[in-house]
Amino acid sequence: MERRNTIQRDLVLEAVNTLKGHVTAEEVYSFIKKEHPNIGKGTVYRNLGILAEEGAIRRIEVPDGPDRFDFTLEDHYHARCVKCGAVSDVDMDVVADIMDKICDNHGMEFLSHDIFFKGICWECRMKAQ
């Protein structure tokens, strides 16, 4: 079933692309609400899901944190600061054949992967000094 494009969906996509980074649904909602105070939180969350499903944005499932939404569609890896929770891209080439190297003895059919590195971001390191 093809979905029709809506003004709300356009607003959500524009917000993700404007905010850059790896934004949460709440950050997208707050950004849009400044200019469009009548927009509902459910509308923003639903449209983020639709845009991710359609491949217009990338949903990043963050362990122990809210999902993030990324405007960068190419495969890439992420790092998460264990102090503040900030998510950033990791500057490295994607391991092209990683899915071919997985050994499984439990009957799992692997569909995709997300690799997250953990660390302490520059800003948190500076605050600690």
Side-chain angles (χ1 to χ4, degrees):
M1 172 175 91
E2 188 173 326
R3 292 186 177 103
R4 61 187 178 87
N5 212 17
T6 65
I7 293 168
Q8 291 91 343
R9 192 159 314 128
D10 289 342
L11 288 172
V12 170
L13 180 59
E14 183 181 326
V16 172
N17 286 322
T18 300
L19 290 168
K20 304 271 188 249
H22 303 85
V23 293
T24 64
E26 191 64 38
E27 290 169 332
V28 173
Y29 171 68
S30 295
F31 180 82
I32 295 172
K33 192 154 181 69
K34 289 177 193 167
E35 294 287 322
H36 304 275
N38 294 328
I39 196 161
K41 189 180 282 193
T43 299
V44 172
Y45 279 60
R46 184 173 51 258
N47 280 290
L48 282 166
I50 291 168
L51 288 165
E53 186 180 299
E54 292 176 344
I57 59 175
R58 177 184 289 254
R59 178 191 304 266
I60 305 166
E61 296 175 15
V62 179
D64 302 322
D67 286 356
R68 304 294 183 112
F69 296 89
D70 194 349
F71 65 99
T72 303
L73 300 177
E74 296 83 34
D75 287 338
H76 61 285
Y77 303 127
H78 297 97
R80 181 169 179 230
C81 178
V82 297
K83 298 276 190 198
C84 71
V87 174
S88 59
D89 290 341
V90 173
D91 296 327
M92 71 175 277
D93 292 334
V94 170
V95 181
D97 61 349
I98 194 168
M99 296 294 283
D100 298 332
K101 295 183 182 210
I102 299 173
C103 296
D104 177 54
N105 298 325
H106 307 286
M108 177 74 70
E109 177 186 357
F110 295 102
L111 303 174
S112 66
H113 67 282
D114 292 314
I115 296 178
F116 258 93
F117 296 92
K118 296 180 204 169
I120 301 172
C121 71
W122 182 84
E123 289 169 359
C124 288
R125 288 196 335 263
M126 292 301 108
K127 287 179 193 172
Q129 289 182 355

